[in-house]
């Protein structure tokens, strides 16, 4: 009897975990103008972020200064996608401290 209850709770918990967990998908490849035309630049800036493009191999050095990768979030599908230019540059940002 205990095994049935534990199995049910595990199954329910596993399903809830899948439903509420965000997953990172393949990067979103965009062109340079997309960040403005999509409205994402304005959203990031209104959230207090300073954004910039970086080569992937140099992004880690910016992380020491508080930068992080910026993602596009699809709430209905619970996925996040890193924003990448076709030439490989990635979008990074950090919270504006002023």
């Amino acid at each position: 009897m205990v095994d049935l209850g534990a199995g049910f709770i595990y199954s329910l918990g596993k399903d809830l975990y899948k439903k509420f967990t965000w997953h990172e998908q393949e990067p979103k490849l965009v062109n340079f103008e997309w960040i403005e035309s999509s409205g994402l630049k304005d959203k990031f800036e209104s959230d207090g972020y300073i954004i910039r493009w970086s080569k992937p191999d140099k992004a880690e050095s910016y992380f020491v200064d508080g930068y992080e990768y910026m993602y596009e979030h699809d709430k209905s599908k619970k996925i996040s996608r890193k924003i990448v230019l076709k030439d490989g540059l990635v979008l990074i940002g950090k919270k504006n401290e002023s």
Side-chain angles (χ1 to χ4, degrees), residues 78-94:
K78 297 269 191 254
I79 60 172
S80 299
R81 297 175 76 183
K82 193 182 304 181
I83 302 166
V84 179
L85 286 178
K86 293 180 182 181
D87 66 359
L89 296 177
V90 295
L91 188 65
I92 60 173
K94 77 173 185 176

Side-chain angles (χ1 to χ4, degrees), residues 43-84:
K43 182 192 177 311
F44 288 143
E45 289 176 348
S46 69
D47 290 343
Y49 282 90
I50 300 168
I51 59 171
R52 66 180 298 162
W53 295 101
S54 172
K55 292 182 179 180
D57 58 336
K58 293 191 176 186
E60 291 292 327
S61 62
Y62 288 112
F63 295 162
V64 177
D65 295 329
Y67 280 87
E68 58 190 89
Y69 288 117
M70 303 304 291
Y71 292 89
E72 175 191 47
H73 299 290
D74 184 338
K75 292 180 181 179
S76 65
K77 295 180 183 176
K78 297 269 191 254
I79 60 172
S80 299
R81 297 175 76 183
K82 193 182 304 181
I83 302 166
V84 179

Side-chain angles (χ1 to χ4, degrees), residues 31-41 44 51 53 91:
N31 63 22
F32 194 75
E33 294 81 24
W34 180 86
I35 191 73
E36 290 203 32
S37 64
S38 69
L40 210 51
K41 179 181 182 193
F44 288 143
I51 59 171
W53 295 101
L91 188 65

Side-chain angles (χ1 to χ4, degrees), residues 1-50:
M1 185 69 163
V2 173
D3 290 337
L4 287 176
F8 174 73
I9 291 172
Y10 172 77
S11 178
L12 181 63
K14 185 174 72 169
D15 291 341
L16 286 173
Y17 176 79
K18 286 181 181 177
K19 183 175 182 175
F20 292 107
T21 302
W22 286 75
H23 302 283
E24 186 175 339
Q25 296 291 316
E26 292 291 317
K28 181 171 186 101
L29 294 176
V30 299
N31 63 22
F32 194 75
E33 294 81 24
W34 180 86
I35 191 73
E36 290 203 32
S37 64
S38 69
L40 210 51
K41 179 181 182 193
D42 292 334
K43 182 192 177 311
F44 288 143
E45 289 176 348
S46 69
D47 290 343
Y49 282 90
I50 300 168

